[in-house]
Amino acid sequence: MPELVGRLGPPTSRRLTIAPDRRTAWLNEAIRGLLERAGEHAPVMLVMQDIHHADGGTRELTTFLARVARPARLCLIITFGSDALTRGHPVLTDLATMAQSSDPPDRLDLEPLARSELVQLITEIEGERPTAAAVLLVADRSGGNPLFAEEILAARRELSSVSLGASLQELVSARLARRSPECRRLLRLLAPAGQPLSEGEITAAVEVFERLAVTLPPRSSSLPRRANGGLEPDLQAGLYEAHGHGFVIPRPDGRLELRHELIAGAIEADLLPHQRRRHHEAIAEALDDRPAEALPHWRAANRPEAALDAAIAAATLADELDSPADGLAARETALELGGADGPDRAEIGQLLIRAGEVALAAGRPDRALAYLEGATARFGERLDRATVAGLHEALGRVARTLGDHERAISEHRRAAASVPPEPTVLRARVLASLAQTLMLQGLFAEAARTAQTAIEAAREAGLDGRAIEGHATCTLGIARAWGADPADAIGLLEEARAIARSIGHADDTFRATLNLATGLTLLGRREDAIEVTRGAIEEARRDGLEVAYGNALRGNIAEGLFLVGRWDEARDTIRTALEWSPAPEAF
């Protein structure tokens, strides 16, 4: 998706820097924009199937699309297995969030098939209308579950000696036992994969599996076979048989998959434990270039070192794809596999710190606090001064997010005391962050002094400190707006916004605009504040950042429009904001 959005996303000529905690919203908005534009030509149906298996980034996209109620020729269908949603499953939270939107999606529960529907299903499968006895058998044994009904019909054709009252596991195992060795070999490779595999991936998995095995693969024929396609002849023969008996479905992209996850589970359960481990190791090696998908197979194969490498690689990939939820999950797996008592203390420390940063971007400040505190407790002051300062600055930002302002100030002061005195970007950033925390606590005089020091440090750091200079200038401006020099504040806030725009820093542009509107309002210039905000909303819309920044600005402008009596505009602004389904605190 990110590659697609990069080619077809919002047409902006500006190079933008977006805050980590808003990049997912930006990406989701870009995908929404693609779907809206596609709907201008023809109605679009997007099906997100089995989201109980989806990664965190996909679930966030699904929730976003379900919550947004903007006019578009788009039909979104989301499916999930309710029996898979055990207590604590993240999809339960996603479903609750969807239900809280201004226009919640309709929910349709799929009930078991009625007797008449089973008759239709059997007729389409068998090619003729079933007898009353056949309908009674299928209805009684399947409970109206179409998958069970299909398996019962297949077993009825193939297995005259098997009790059709058996479980799905037993039916599938009995049918599997009748297949040729080549067919079973293919199915047992596909079943543990849990996803479609290409012929090249299957071939790679076979090579690894046979390298690990002590005997040659079984054959049902001594006659030579010719290959037809990418698979070796024996596997090709097994594929024909598996497809003919309804086990395997070729996808349009050429990959192969078992027709249902319950069928795959029944086949995998038929494997002996030592065979299952080898199959997972073979699949993991075949998926080595896709670390997030190889990771569970390395774990199932009891290969913790390879699993640790895959987890770290998957975390890096998630960062590149702007999916902090998945980056956090991969790092938590890496910490579990490597252990906090791993041999490389510095590497574990950096992993803890990075896990805290990603958790904050994922909207999990509580988790971020736990990881950063873990790094502090483990390493104390033994790290170099720059790392210690950065760690306490991060702790201060997390505490500020959690509303613990006293601790936020304490951690920021500690960071400022630890940071080396040389003019570096880190020193400027620590001082700017301290100034912001002081300002938010209403300590305007000290905030202004600290912000001025941060500005000077940023200027000494050169071009790399330009963004921090703008951030600290914004803090200085709003501190003066609330303090004794409100008139001087407007020029500072305009300067801060100009710096942020010049370097394409979207988050600081948004912050400076909000504070500029606040400063203008404090001086009684409500109409000016409204126009500044309106222009920023339009800018955010052009840049594809309407939900990340523009909608928060609407909340700011709606109150101003209401208070000056521009009620029609206020109503329209609020309605547009509600289409985007704002966060609960703004709702």
Side-chain angles (χ1 to χ4, degrees):
M1 277 297 192
E3 185 179 335
L4 175 67
V5 171
R7 295 199 307 267
L8 304 176
T12 177
S13 58
R14 299 202 301 148
R15 190 180 181 88
L16 297 172
T17 301
I18 302 167
D21 58 333
R22 297 183 188 269
R23 289 193 63 82
T24 300
W26 166 79
L27 183 61
N28 291 342
E29 183 177 344
I31 295 170
R32 169 79 191 193
L34 286 177
L35 296 171
E36 285 187 4
R37 290 194 292 278
E40 294 172 1
H41 303 287
V44 173
M45 176 186 288
L46 176 65
V47 181
M48 309 291 276
Q49 187 168 348
D50 289 342
I51 61 166
H52 55 280
H53 289 318
D55 58 89
T58 300
R59 291 198 315 273
E60 286 191 38
L61 170 64
T62 304
T63 304
F64 174 82
L65 294 175
R67 282 175 57 84
V68 173
R70 288 179 55 77
R73 295 203 293 175
L74 170 65
C75 175
L76 175 67
I77 297 178
I78 304 166
T79 77
F80 60 91
S82 55
D83 55 344
L85 301 186
T86 54
R87 184 178 179 180
H89 197 292
V91 170
L92 291 172
T93 303
D94 297 336
L95 293 173
T97 302
M98 294 177 199
Q100 294 168 358
S101 64
S102 59
D103 184 16
D106 297 325
R107 178 161 171 165
L108 175 65
D109 293 317
L110 297 183
E111 303 294 339
L113 296 182
R115 185 70 60 91
S116 61
E117 293 168 325
L118 280 172
V119 170
Q120 181 183 354
L121 176 66
I122 298 171
T123 301
E124 292 180 1
I125 291 175
E126 301 286 272
E128 60 183 11
R129 189 169 181 82
T131 64
V135 174
L136 183 63
L137 172 71
V138 173
D140 183 53
R141 297 294 186 261
S142 71
N145 183 307
L147 176 68
F148 290 8
E150 291 173 1
E151 286 301 305
I152 289 168
L153 290 172
R156 188 166 174 260
R157 291 191 301 270
E158 298 179 25
L159 311 168
S160 57
S161 61
V162 174
S163 168
L164 297 185
S167 67
L168 178 69
Q169 168 72 53
E170 292 169 320
L171 289 175
V172 172
S173 296
R175 291 187 63 214
L176 183 67
R178 291 181 60 87
R179 306 281 72 82
S180 68
E182 295 86 353
C183 182
R184 292 199 301 272
R185 181 179 170 215
L186 176 74
L187 293 175
R188 286 169 174 166
L189 275 168
L190 284 174
Q195 62 184 320
L197 295 179
S198 68
E199 291 187 352
E201 289 165 343
I202 292 173
T203 299
V206 167
E207 292 174 355
V208 176
F209 184 80
E210 291 179 358
R211 189 177 72 236
L212 297 172
V214 294
T215 60
L216 293 174
R219 287 171 58 94
S220 61
S221 171
S222 59
L223 297 176
R225 291 187 171 123
R226 292 184 179 180
N228 181 18
L231 295 177
E232 64 174 74
D234 282 355
L235 284 175
Q236 192 71 52
L239 173 59
Y240 288 146
E241 183 179 351
H243 184 233
H245 286 84
F247 284 98
V248 172
I249 299 175
R251 291 165 59 102
D253 61 5
R255 293 187 295 168
L256 304 173
E257 66 177 340
L258 292 173
R259 71 183 176 92
H260 197 281
E261 62 186 71
L262 293 180
I263 301 293
I267 294 173
E268 184 179 2
D270 195 55
L271 293 170
L272 297 176
H274 70 284
Q275 292 176 325
R276 187 178 299 119
R277 185 190 61 77
R278 286 208 308 268
H279 277 87
H280 280 289
E281 184 168 350
I283 293 166
E285 286 207 30
L287 299 175
D288 195 48
D289 59 336
R290 291 147 64 185
E293 297 169 40
L295 173 57
H297 297 292
W298 286 124
R299 299 192 74 176
N302 196 25
R303 290 283 306 278
E305 299 86 358
L308 176 59
D309 292 340
I312 293 174
T316 302
L317 179 61
D319 294 346
E320 294 172 358
L321 298 178
D322 294 318
S323 183
D326 295 307
L328 175 61
R331 286 181 174 86
E332 289 186 334
T333 300
L335 287 166
E336 178 187 348
L337 290 165
D341 299 319
D344 192 335
R345 295 173 62 88
E347 183 177 338
I348 292 295
Q350 291 301 322
L351 189 57
L352 286 167
I353 293 170
R354 182 60 184 151
E357 293 171 346
V358 173
L360 188 59
R364 295 290 308 277
D366 54 333
R367 206 73 166 165
L369 185 65
Y371 282 119
L372 294 173
E373 284 179 336
T376 304
R378 174 159 295 277
F379 299 102
E381 305 300 323
R382 291 192 294 274
L383 297 169
D384 61 272
R385 291 182 63 183
T387 304
V388 169
L391 181 54
H392 286 292
E393 189 269 336
L395 275 167
R397 283 188 286 113
V398 172
R400 190 171 68 203
T401 302
L402 290 169
D404 188 349
H405 297 293
E406 290 186 9
R407 179 170 183 182
I409 290 178
S410 173
E411 295 289 355
H412 276 107
R413 290 194 193 282
R414 194 167 181 181
S418 302
V419 71
E422 295 79 22
T424 60
V425 171
L426 174 63
R427 177 174 176 76
R429 191 184 78 221
V430 167
L431 291 172
S433 193
L434 171 59
Q436 183 181 6
T437 302
L438 292 167
M439 180 271 294
L440 291 171
Q441 272 292 85
L443 302 174
F444 299 124
E446 185 180 359
R449 291 195 299 272
T450 307
Q452 188 63 60
T453 306
I455 291 169
E456 294 167 2
R459 287 172 178 166
E460 290 179 3
L463 289 176
D464 291 339
R466 186 68 168 156
I468 299 169
E469 178 187 351
H471 186 278
T473 302
C474 182
T475 300
L476 177 60
I478 197 62
R480 288 190 176 172
W482 284 103
D485 303 307
D488 295 342
I490 302 304
L492 288 167
L493 292 168
E494 288 176 338
E495 179 186 352
R497 190 166 66 149
I499 292 174
R501 278 178 168 169
S502 69
I503 59 176
H505 203 295
D507 206 55
D508 280 350
T509 302
F510 164 73
R511 177 172 176 256
T513 300
L514 277 179
N515 286 326
L516 178 57
T518 299
L520 291 167
T521 302
L522 288 172
L523 291 173
R525 296 167 56 183
R526 287 193 184 278
E527 294 287 353
D528 291 341
I530 289 170
E531 293 313 310
V532 164
T533 309
R534 191 186 294 281
I537 292 171
E538 179 59 27
E539 186 177 301
R541 188 193 63 76
R542 288 196 306 269
D543 290 335
L545 296 167
E546 195 163 2
V547 69
Y549 299 110
N551 224 33
L553 291 168
R554 284 196 181 93
N556 184 273
I557 196 177
E559 183 180 8
L561 289 167
F562 178 82
L563 292 174
V564 299
R566 293 162 63 174
W567 292 353
D568 288 343
E569 294 173 71
R571 184 183 296 109
D572 291 342
T573 299
I574 292 169
R575 282 176 172 165
T576 303
L578 288 174
E579 288 176 357
W580 285 106
S581 284
E585 63 270 17
F587 191 82

Coordinates of all heavy atoms in Angstrom, one line a residue, residues 247-280:
F247 N -9.1 -29.9 -2.3 CA -8.3 -29.4 -1.1 C -7.6 -28.1 -1.4 O -7.5 -27.3 -0.5 CB -7.2 -30.5 -0.8 CG -7.7 -31.7 -0.1 CD1 -8.0 -32.9 -0.8 CD2 -7.9 -31.7 1.3 CE1 -8.4 -34.0 -0.2 CE2 -8.3 -32.8 1.9 CZ -8.6 -34.0 1.2
V248 N -7.1 -27.9 -2.6 CA -6.3 -26.7 -3.0 C -7.0 -25.9 -4.0 O -7.7 -26.4 -4.9 CB -4.9 -27.2 -3.5 CG1 -4.2 -26.0 -4.1 CG2 -4.1 -27.9 -2.5
I249 N -6.9 -24.5 -3.8 CA -7.5 -23.6 -4.7 C -6.3 -22.7 -5.3 O -5.6 -22.0 -4.5 CB -8.5 -22.7 -4.0 CG1 -9.6 -23.5 -3.5 CG2 -9.0 -21.6 -5.0 CD1 -10.6 -22.7 -2.7
P250 N -6.1 -22.8 -6.6 CA -5.1 -21.8 -7.2 C -5.6 -20.4 -7.2 O -6.8 -20.2 -7.6 CB -4.9 -22.4 -8.6 CG -5.5 -23.7 -8.6 CD -6.6 -23.7 -7.6
R251 N -4.8 -19.5 -6.8 CA -5.3 -18.1 -6.8 C -4.9 -17.4 -8.2 O -4.1 -17.9 -8.9 CB -4.5 -17.3 -5.7 CG -4.9 -17.7 -4.3 CD -3.9 -17.2 -3.3 NE -3.8 -15.7 -3.4 CZ -4.4 -14.9 -2.5 NH1 -5.1 -15.3 -1.5 NH2 -4.2 -13.6 -2.6
P252 N -5.6 -16.3 -8.5 CA -5.3 -15.6 -9.8 C -3.9 -15.3 -9.9 O -3.4 -15.2 -11.1 CB -6.2 -14.4 -9.7 CG -7.3 -14.8 -8.8 CD -6.7 -15.7 -7.8
D253 N -3.2 -15.0 -8.8 CA -1.7 -14.6 -8.9 C -0.8 -15.8 -9.1 O 0.4 -15.6 -9.1 CB -1.3 -13.7 -7.8 CG -1.5 -14.4 -6.4 OD1 -1.8 -15.6 -6.4 OD2 -1.3 -13.8 -5.4
G254 N -1.4 -17.0 -9.2 CA -0.6 -18.2 -9.3 C -0.2 -18.9 -8.0 O 0.3 -20.0 -8.1
R255 N -0.4 -18.2 -6.9 CA -0.1 -18.9 -5.6 C -1.1 -19.9 -5.3 O -2.3 -19.9 -5.8 CB 0.0 -17.9 -4.5 CG 1.2 -16.9 -4.7 CD 1.4 -16.0 -3.5 NE 0.3 -15.1 -3.3 CZ 0.0 -14.4 -2.2 NH1 0.9 -14.5 -1.2 NH2 -1.0 -13.5 -2.2
L256 N -0.8 -20.9 -4.4 CA -1.6 -22.0 -4.0 C -2.0 -21.9 -2.6 O -1.2 -21.5 -1.7 CB -0.9 -23.3 -4.3 CG -0.4 -23.6 -5.7 CD1 0.4 -24.8 -5.7 CD2 -1.6 -23.7 -6.7
E257 N -3.3 -22.2 -2.2 CA -3.7 -22.2 -0.8 C -4.8 -23.3 -0.6 O -5.5 -23.7 -1.6 CB -4.3 -20.8 -0.5 CG -5.6 -20.4 -1.2 CD -6.1 -19.1 -0.7 OE1 -5.8 -18.7 0.4 OE2 -6.9 -18.5 -1.5
L258 N -4.8 -23.7 0.6 CA -5.9 -24.7 1.0 C -7.2 -23.9 1.0 O -7.2 -22.7 1.4 CB -5.6 -25.3 2.3 CG -4.4 -26.3 2.2 CD1 -4.0 -26.8 3.6 CD2 -4.7 -27.5 1.4
R259 N -8.3 -24.6 0.7 CA -9.5 -23.8 0.5 C -10.1 -23.3 1.8 O -11.0 -22.4 1.8 CB -10.6 -24.7 -0.2 CG -11.2 -25.8 0.6 CD -12.1 -26.6 -0.3 NE -12.6 -27.8 0.3 CZ -13.8 -27.8 1.0 NH1 -14.5 -26.7 1.1 NH2 -14.2 -28.9 1.6
H260 N -9.7 -23.7 3.0 CA -10.2 -23.1 4.2 C -9.2 -23.4 5.3 O -8.6 -24.4 5.4 CB -11.6 -23.8 4.6 CG -12.4 -23.0 5.6 ND1 -12.1 -23.0 6.9 CD2 -13.4 -22.1 5.4 CE1 -12.9 -22.2 7.6 NE2 -13.7 -21.7 6.7
E261 N -9.2 -22.5 6.3 CA -8.2 -22.6 7.4 C -8.5 -23.8 8.3 O -7.5 -24.3 8.9 CB -8.1 -21.3 8.2 CG -9.4 -20.9 8.9 CD -9.4 -19.6 9.5 OE1 -9.4 -18.6 8.8 OE2 -9.4 -19.6 10.8
L262 N -9.7 -24.2 8.4 CA -10.1 -25.3 9.2 C -9.6 -26.6 8.6 O -9.2 -27.6 9.2 CB -11.6 -25.4 9.5 CG -12.2 -24.3 10.4 CD1 -13.7 -24.5 10.5 CD2 -11.5 -24.3 11.7
I263 N -9.6 -26.7 7.2 CA -9.1 -27.8 6.5 C -7.5 -27.9 6.7 O -7.0 -28.9 7.0 CB -9.4 -27.7 5.0 CG1 -10.9 -27.6 4.7 CG2 -8.7 -28.9 4.2 CD1 -11.6 -28.9 5.1
A264 N -6.9 -26.7 6.6 CA -5.5 -26.6 6.9 C -5.1 -27.1 8.3 O -4.2 -27.8 8.5 CB -4.9 -25.2 6.6
G265 N -5.9 -26.6 9.3 CA -5.7 -27.0 10.6 C -5.8 -28.5 10.9 O -5.1 -29.1 11.6
A266 N -6.8 -29.1 10.2 CA -7.0 -30.5 10.4 C -5.8 -31.3 9.7 O -5.4 -32.3 10.3 CB -8.3 -31.0 9.7
I267 N -5.3 -30.8 8.6 CA -4.2 -31.5 8.0 C -2.9 -31.4 8.8 O -2.2 -32.3 9.0 CB -3.9 -31.0 6.6 CG1 -5.1 -31.3 5.7 CG2 -2.6 -31.5 6.0 CD1 -5.1 -30.7 4.3
E268 N -2.7 -30.1 9.3 CA -1.5 -29.9 10.2 C -1.6 -30.8 11.5 O -0.6 -31.3 11.9 CB -1.4 -28.5 10.5 CG -0.1 -28.2 11.3 CD 0.1 -26.7 11.7 OE1 -0.8 -25.9 11.3 OE2 1.1 -26.4 12.3
A269 N -2.8 -30.9 12.0 CA -2.9 -31.7 13.3 C -2.6 -33.2 13.0 O -2.3 -33.9 14.0 CB -4.4 -31.5 13.8
D270 N -2.7 -33.6 11.8 CA -2.4 -35.0 11.4 C -0.9 -35.3 11.4 O -0.5 -36.4 11.4 CB -3.0 -35.3 10.0 CG -3.0 -36.8 9.8 OD1 -3.6 -37.5 10.6 OD2 -2.5 -37.2 8.7
L271 N -0.1 -34.2 11.4 CA 1.4 -34.4 11.4 C 1.9 -34.8 12.8 O 1.4 -34.4 13.8 CB 2.1 -33.1 11.0 CG 1.9 -32.5 9.6 CD1 2.4 -31.1 9.5 CD2 2.6 -33.5 8.6
L272 N 2.9 -35.6 12.8 CA 3.6 -36.0 14.0 C 4.4 -34.8 14.5 O 4.8 -33.9 13.7 CB 4.5 -37.2 13.8 CG 3.8 -38.5 13.4 CD1 4.8 -39.6 13.2 CD2 2.8 -38.9 14.5
P273 N 4.7 -34.6 15.8 CA 5.3 -33.4 16.3 C 6.7 -33.2 15.7 O 7.0 -32.0 15.3 CB 5.5 -33.8 17.8 CG 4.4 -34.7 18.1 CD 4.2 -35.5 16.9
H274 N 7.5 -34.2 15.5 CA 8.8 -33.9 14.8 C 8.7 -33.5 13.4 O 9.4 -32.7 12.8 CB 9.7 -35.1 15.0 CG 9.3 -36.3 14.2 ND1 8.3 -37.1 14.5 CD2 9.8 -36.8 13.0 CE1 8.1 -38.1 13.6 NE2 9.1 -37.9 12.7
Q275 N 7.6 -34.1 12.7 CA 7.4 -33.6 11.3 C 6.9 -32.2 11.3 O 7.3 -31.4 10.4 CB 6.3 -34.6 10.7 CG 6.7 -36.0 10.5 CD 5.5 -36.8 10.0 OE1 4.4 -36.6 10.4 NE2 5.8 -37.8 9.1
R276 N 6.0 -31.8 12.2 CA 5.5 -30.4 12.2 C 6.6 -29.4 12.4 O 6.7 -28.4 11.7 CB 4.5 -30.3 13.4 CG 3.7 -29.0 13.3 CD 2.7 -28.9 14.5 NE 1.7 -30.0 14.3 CZ 1.5 -30.9 15.2 NH1 2.2 -31.0 16.3 NH2 0.5 -31.8 15.0
R277 N 7.6 -29.7 13.3 CA 8.7 -28.8 13.5 C 9.5 -28.6 12.2 O 9.9 -27.5 11.8 CB 9.6 -29.3 14.6 CG 10.8 -28.4 14.9 CD 11.7 -29.1 15.9 NE 12.4 -30.2 15.3 CZ 13.3 -30.2 14.4 NH1 13.8 -29.0 14.0 NH2 13.8 -31.3 13.9
R278 N 9.8 -29.8 11.5 CA 10.5 -29.7 10.2 C 9.8 -28.9 9.1 O 10.4 -28.2 8.4 CB 10.9 -31.1 9.7 CG 12.0 -31.8 10.5 CD 12.7 -32.8 9.6 NE 11.9 -33.7 8.9 CZ 11.5 -34.9 9.4 NH1 11.9 -35.3 10.6 NH2 10.7 -35.7 8.7
H279 N 8.5 -29.1 9.1 CA 7.7 -28.4 8.1 C 7.7 -26.9 8.4 O 7.9 -26.1 7.4 CB 6.2 -28.9 8.1 CG 6.0 -30.1 7.3 ND1 6.1 -31.4 7.9 CD2 5.6 -30.3 6.0 CE1 5.8 -32.3 6.9 NE2 5.5 -31.6 5.8
H280 N 7.6 -26.5 9.6 CA 7.7 -25.1 9.9 C 9.0 -24.5 9.6 O 9.1 -23.4 9.1 CB 7.3 -24.8 11.4 CG 5.8 -24.9 11.6 ND1 5.0 -23.9 11.2 CD2 5.0 -25.8 12.3 CE1 3.7 -24.1 11.6 NE2 3.7 -25.3 12.2

